[in-house]
Amino acid sequence: MTVLLWVLAVLATPFVLFALWIAGVFLKEFFRPSGDEADPDAAEALGLLPAERQNTTYAGPLPAGVDATLAAVRGGDWKAAAKLMQDIGRDWERRSSTAYLLAEIAAEEDDWLLAWESDHPDDPDAAVVRARSTVILAWNLRGGKLAKHTTSEQFTGFHRMLERSREEIGRAAALNPDDPTPYITEIWVALGLGYPNSEMDKLWTEITARAPHHYEAHFSALQYWCAKWRGSEKLATDFAERAAADAPLGSLLTVLPLIAHFEHDKSDDNSVDRTPKMIGRVDAGLADAAAADPTHPRLPELRHLLAYYLSLQDRDDAALEQFRLVDGYVNALPWRYQGDGEAMAAYYCRIRNATAQAVAAAE
């Protein structure tokens, strides 16, 4: 009889352990504060900033000195812009990022850019900023609402400006044949004008011939392949997984499968974010971030998504580490899709505060 009981006990052990594990998960979820219920005190005790102090313009801090340069450019100093672009040289990742920052200013007021073009009519740096600014202006004309809420006048201006930008993109590419930035800029023309997939493939060949693992290029192309634009969930996921698999560690491209998942996830059930595949994607992103250049201009964008998914996976200590590294800036996925700056900051702080409170409760 004793032997029989011993055998039954051995056979029952795995089930008992599984039941205890399930109970632990249930209790953790039951007592874990929701984002709306989380007390901000735990986050503020860690030195994390409240919603009203979050920067809603950028995903992370700008490189040293760039803030001052942008302020000078806004004041009309085109030479500051020219020097900034010249100093970057052939660092294509930083070149495309900086050209975008300058182009945003030009899309609002371009007197300084006109002066630059007048003094140096064939300057490839001025040309690429002009091309980018025209595309930004086109999207500003369209607005950020769904098509059904966008007027025919907005669409007319949008399409007209995108068509005009194609000539400017071609000129920028001709003035600096090695630069992938004009072609990356054209992805947003392809998206807006509805390039067929075959044309996008040709454009992508031009980009990868110059910069095979360029972050902004891949992020932009992934948008094109999403179902909401010119592709499908399968096309977007296949593109993302292929790019992530082929990329060297530190390129940040492991973020692409996370973005593809986020863009197509319509479920209210967080279990889809906790699958072994999603945990593996997050782990790959953590390794990628650890190997990346700490000054990579796009590193904060990966960290924001890592913080979000780590929080959803109840990996609170790891999530809090990422939140610490990006706190103060919220213009990134997933917060960006919540609406204006105030809504972005509020959503970010709800998720971050719940993570901070969960960590404090576990100590």
Side-chain angles (χ1 to χ4, degrees):
M1 188 64 158
T2 302
V3 174
L4 179 59
L5 290 174
W6 181 82
V7 171
L8 290 173
V10 170
L11 291 174
T13 296
F15 298 99
V16 172
L17 293 174
F18 179 74
L20 290 172
W21 178 79
I22 287 292
V25 170
F26 172 78
L27 288 171
K28 184 175 183 180
E29 284 301 301
F30 185 79
F31 290 108
R32 178 186 176 88
S34 72
D36 292 330
E37 298 168 347
D39 188 337
D41 289 349
E44 292 181 17
L46 295 170
L48 302 175
L49 300 175
E52 61 270 19
R53 294 182 60 192
Q54 299 294 328
N55 182 307
T56 59
T57 302
Y58 305 118
L62 295 176
V66 172
D67 256 334
T69 298
L70 296 181
V73 173
R74 289 189 186 95
D77 184 1
W78 68 263
K79 292 181 180 178
K83 185 177 187 309
L84 181 60
M85 291 292 286
Q86 185 177 25
D87 289 348
I88 289 169
R90 294 173 62 87
D91 184 331
W92 303 132
E93 199 75 64
R94 285 175 173 80
R95 179 177 175 80
S96 68
S97 176
T98 303
Y100 188 88
L101 293 173
L102 294 171
E104 281 189 309
I105 299 173
E108 296 178 1
E109 172 53 66
D110 70 345
D111 284 352
W112 61 272
L113 182 53
L114 289 168
W116 185 3
E117 292 168 326
S118 176
D119 269 34
H120 298 276
D122 292 323
D123 189 330
D125 295 343
V128 79
V129 172
R130 172 62 69 188
R132 297 219 79 166
S133 71
T134 307
V135 174
I136 291 171
L137 181 56
W139 284 92
N140 288 346
L141 288 172
R142 183 200 182 281
K145 295 182 179 179
L146 296 173
K148 63 183 179 181
H149 300 304
T150 304
T151 67
S152 59
E153 290 81 6
Q154 286 175 296
F155 273 121
T156 298
F158 174 55
H159 293 141
R160 183 175 64 249
M161 196 61 65
L162 285 181
E163 289 289 356
R164 173 182 152 187
S165 75
R166 297 177 72 176
E167 182 178 343
E168 293 170 351
I169 288 168
R171 182 170 180 270
L175 287 170
N176 192 353
D178 292 341
D179 184 10
T181 309
Y183 301 96
I184 296 167
T185 304
E186 192 175 355
I187 293 175
W188 293 92
V189 180
L191 212 148
L193 293 181
Y195 283 19
N197 292 173
S198 59
E199 286 300 308
M200 180 62 187
D201 288 338
K202 292 177 184 177
L203 181 57
W204 191 242
T205 298
E206 296 287 355
I207 293 169
T208 53
R210 292 164 174 80
H213 306 297
H214 195 288
Y215 179 96
E216 186 193 340
H218 282 82
F219 175 87
S220 302
L222 179 56
Q223 292 297 310
Y224 173 93
W225 292 114
C226 282
K228 65 182 180 181
W229 288 110
R230 307 300 172 185
S232 65
E233 181 173 0
K234 183 179 188 310
L235 287 171
T237 302
D238 288 350
F239 172 83
E241 291 183 342
R242 190 165 56 248
D246 294 342
L249 204 60
S251 66
L252 311 185
L253 296 190
T254 53
V255 75
L256 297 174
L258 291 175
I259 296 175
H261 172 80
F262 177 77
E263 290 283 4
H264 298 92
D265 179 16
K266 306 302 180 188
S267 172
D268 293 328
D269 183 358
N270 286 348
S271 65
V272 300
D273 304 309
R274 302 175 179 181
T275 64
K277 177 179 280 189
M278 282 298 292
I279 290 171
R281 285 171 172 171
V282 171
D283 287 344
L286 288 169
D288 207 3
D293 177 354
T295 67
H296 193 299
R298 304 293 182 169
L299 179 56
E301 295 178 31
L302 171 58
R303 293 200 187 281
H304 279 284
L305 269 176
L306 288 175
Y308 176 68
Y309 281 114
L310 285 164
S311 179
L312 293 183
Q313 293 171 1
D314 293 346
R315 300 162 70 180
D316 298 307
D317 289 309
L320 185 58
E321 181 181 354
Q322 297 302 316
F323 277 122
R324 285 177 181 275
L325 291 168
V326 297
D327 196 61
Y329 300 85
V330 297
N331 192 4
L333 293 179
W335 334 115
R336 186 188 295 151
Y337 282 8
Q338 292 301 306
D340 62 15
E342 185 177 337
M344 277 194 286
Y347 183 49
Y348 165 85
C349 286
R350 284 202 301 272
I351 303 297
R352 183 207 62 189
N353 293 350
T355 297
Q357 190 169 337
V359 170
E363 290 179 349

